[in-house]
């Protein structure tokens, strides 16, 4: 693992992408201040300078096929969750790869793949972890930090090494251990057990064609499965199964 600490950048993903070609597997770029951090769905990531972790890790030579790239997403999410559990006692993966403490978001990530010659040339996982920040000013609905969860501050450098170490260990087990990793991912899912409210962003027709959920509608469902390509299967109260890709359904958290 090679860690590059920088004072400020617009985005650690963009910074690492510029040096990816000449950088080895496991290179980490960590920024004290990130001025234009990117999250999923085009969201920005609020982070008080020096209080949290905003970093990106470079993954090369994993042997994962482009069609199986969700394995890398699972490895990154589980790596963060495993590490955070040691510090704050619990962590779950909110599909597809946010990390939650209880019903609050403690970590977000943006994973970007670069393909070449029909293979994954490299993957960059941009990760933001709320570590020591205790006041959040944005309109994010449910942020929490490690300090808020545990009642004490943490050494950000130690947390960074712990998280990246877990990610690299899991990636090193791919693709041979993909089945076991996928099982752990399913077991670690937020709201894995029970029925909860969701909102569809598309007109969704059930797998058997008997039920339609209109775009914008709220519905109750239970997580049935996440396929190897990341597609989420939800089972409604009627027993019908609906399959959603990323951005096609959202969790309702009240």
């Amino acid at each position: 693992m090679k860690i590059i600490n920088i004072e400020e950048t617009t985005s650690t993903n963009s910074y690492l992408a510029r040096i990816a070609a000449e950088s080895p597997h496991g290179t980490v770029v960590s920024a004290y201040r990130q001025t234009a951090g990117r999250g999923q769905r085009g969201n920005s990531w609020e982070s008080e300078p020096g209080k949290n972790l905003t970093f990106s890790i470079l993954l090369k030579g994993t042997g994962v096929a482009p069609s199986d790239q969700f394995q890398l997403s699972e490895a990154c999410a589980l790596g963060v969750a495993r590490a955070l559990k040691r510090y704050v006692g619990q962590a779950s993966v909110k599909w597809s790869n946010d990390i939650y403490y209880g019903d609050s978001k403690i970590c977000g990530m943006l994973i970007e793949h670069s393909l070449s010659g029909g293979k994954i040339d490299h993957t960059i996982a941009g990760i933001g972890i709320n570590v020591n920040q205790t006041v959040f000013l944005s309109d994010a609905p449910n942020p929490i930090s490690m300090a808020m969860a545990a009642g004490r501050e943490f050494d950000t450098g130690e947390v960074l090494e712990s998280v990246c170490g877990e990610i690299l260990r899991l990636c090193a087990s791919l693709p041979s251990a993909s089945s076991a990793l996928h099982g752990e991912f399913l077991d670690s899912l937020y709201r894995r057990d029970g029925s909860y409210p969701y909102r569809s962003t598309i007109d969704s027709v059930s797998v058997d064609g008997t039920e339609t959920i209109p775009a914008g509608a709220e519905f109750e469902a239970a997580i049935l499965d996440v396929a190897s390509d990341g597609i989420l299967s939800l089972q409604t109260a009627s027993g019908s199964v609906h399959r959603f890709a990323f951005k096609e359904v959202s969790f309702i958290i009240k």
Side-chain angles (χ1 to χ4, degrees), residues 138-249:
S138 75
D139 59 358
N142 59 339
I144 195 171
S145 67
M146 294 172 62
M148 292 165 67
R152 68 178 182 89
E153 290 199 344
F154 295 87
D155 182 321
T156 54
E158 177 189 324
V159 175
L160 177 64
E161 291 195 14
S162 178
V163 168
C164 292
E166 283 291 349
I167 290 173
L168 292 174
R169 274 190 286 274
L170 286 171
C171 287
S173 72
L174 294 174
S176 59
S178 60
S179 179
L181 186 145
H182 184 61
E184 182 181 347
F185 179 82
L186 292 177
D187 290 341
S188 299
L189 283 175
Y190 172 68
R191 291 183 171 178
R192 179 68 177 99
D193 300 313
S195 186
Y196 295 91
Y198 295 85
R199 179 179 292 108
S200 178
T201 62
I202 61 168
D203 290 330
S204 175
V205 180
S206 62
V207 173
D208 62 8
T210 62
E211 181 179 75
T212 298
I213 299 174
E218 295 185 11
F219 63 99
E220 294 273 334
I223 294 176
L224 187 64
D225 191 23
V226 177
S228 59
D229 57 1
I231 297 294
L232 176 69
S233 290
L234 296 176
Q235 187 170 41
T236 64
S238 69
S240 296
V241 176
H242 293 255
R243 302 179 78 242
F244 296 96
F246 179 56
K247 297 185 180 181
E248 291 182 349
V249 69

Side-chain angles (χ1 to χ4, degrees), residues 100-131:
Y100 266 44
Y101 176 91
D103 289 323
S104 298
K105 184 174 178 177
I106 199 168
C107 168
M109 63 184 75
L110 175 66
I111 299 175
E112 299 177 308
H113 304 282
S114 178
L115 305 180
S116 178
K119 298 180 179 180
I120 298 176
D121 180 70
H122 66 263
T123 296
I124 295 176
I127 299 171
I129 302 175
N130 297 328
V131 182

